[in-house]
Amino acid sequence: MRKSQFTKHLDALNEDELRKELMMLFSKVPEVKQFYAMELGSDKERKSLYDRAKKDIAAKYATRSIRKPRRPRIQKINGILSDMKKAAIFQHEMADLYLFDVETALVFSLQHHFFSRVLANHITSTFEKAVEIIREHQLHELFFDRCSQIKERTIFIPEIYSDMKRIFNKIV
């Protein structure tokens, strides 16, 4: 269905029918419910959505074996981040989520002595997205210490340290 057809359909409905249509969309389409939770919801509701996203991200890094860890599910993590970015209202919450992902990835990498080019690319690109938001929205005071700690943790991963240092210098 094209947008013009949808607009004609909406124009043909009266106010009560429009309300019913919106209620049906809200109850049947989870993305609509999430959108309104972000748009109209309280800070508590938004925080619960971000906490659930953080829990899902952490689960994608979880592994049972210390000696032979399961590879992190980077594609699924990118999907979670993408969905949250589409629904995000406040950019500082999105920067926080990106930094959480980078921190979790670094803990996984250091704890399990795991390195892959895919994970390294994910860490640097996600950190760069976070730094862009921080720079663009002037959130230096809120995230500077956290970004500094992330940069310092990457000293133990020489393959990405220079990239992380270069990205970090964008917010200094």
Side-chain angles (χ1 to χ4, degrees):
M1 175 181 270
R2 288 191 224 121
K3 186 176 179 180
S4 61
Q5 291 174 320
F6 183 68
T7 305
K8 286 180 185 177
H9 171 69
L10 291 178
D11 289 340
L13 300 175
N14 64 30
E15 190 174 328
D16 288 337
E17 291 170 333
L18 278 172
R19 288 178 197 268
K20 288 178 185 175
E21 188 84 18
L22 282 173
M23 288 305 295
M24 191 255 322
L25 285 172
F26 185 82
S27 62
K28 290 195 178 199
V29 182
E31 289 82 10
V32 172
K33 189 172 187 174
Q34 183 180 10
F35 171 79
Y36 281 111
M38 295 293 252
E39 188 74 30
L40 302 175
S42 66
D43 289 340
K44 185 179 177 183
E45 290 171 342
R46 256 195 333 276
K47 184 180 180 329
S48 71
L49 286 173
Y50 280 100
D51 288 344
R52 187 176 57 210
K54 287 178 180 180
K55 185 179 174 184
D56 290 346
I57 288 170
K60 302 305 178 210
Y61 287 106
T63 184
R64 290 190 179 139
S65 175
I66 301 266
R67 287 183 293 170
K68 189 176 180 191
R70 184 182 78 169
R71 293 180 172 275
R73 313 281 302 274
I74 302 297
Q75 193 171 11
K76 300 226 183 224
I77 293 166
N78 285 335
I80 294 167
L81 292 173
S82 175
D83 291 344
M84 291 305 291
K85 184 178 181 180
K86 289 175 189 171
I89 302 297
F90 299 113
Q91 291 302 310
H92 70 277
E93 293 171 332
M94 203 60 220
D96 176 55
L97 191 61
Y98 283 140
L99 291 177
F100 174 81
D101 177 39
V102 171
E103 291 163 342
T104 308
L106 288 173
V107 166
F108 172 83
S109 182
L110 295 171
Q111 195 174 46
H112 297 287
H113 305 289
F114 181 86
F115 178 81
S116 72
R117 182 50 44 200
V118 173
L119 182 61
N121 289 342
H122 176 72
I123 291 170
T124 55
S125 68
T126 304
F127 187 62
E128 192 157 22
K129 289 175 189 175
V131 167
E132 284 299 316
I133 291 172
I134 292 166
R135 224 175 42 148
E136 196 174 301
H137 297 282
Q138 301 174 348
L139 302 169
H140 299 86
E141 292 178 13
L142 193 59
F143 294 110
F144 183 80
D145 292 337
R146 199 166 162 194
C147 289
S148 179
Q149 288 175 349
I150 287 171
K151 181 192 67 121
E152 292 305 316
R153 273 192 201 147
T154 59
I155 287 175
F156 302 109
I157 309 172
E159 293 88 349
I160 64 171
Y161 179 68
S162 61
D163 289 337
M164 295 295 275
K165 189 175 177 182
R166 176 186 50 79
I167 295 167
F168 176 76
N169 287 336
K170 290 180 181 180
I171 60 171
V172 174

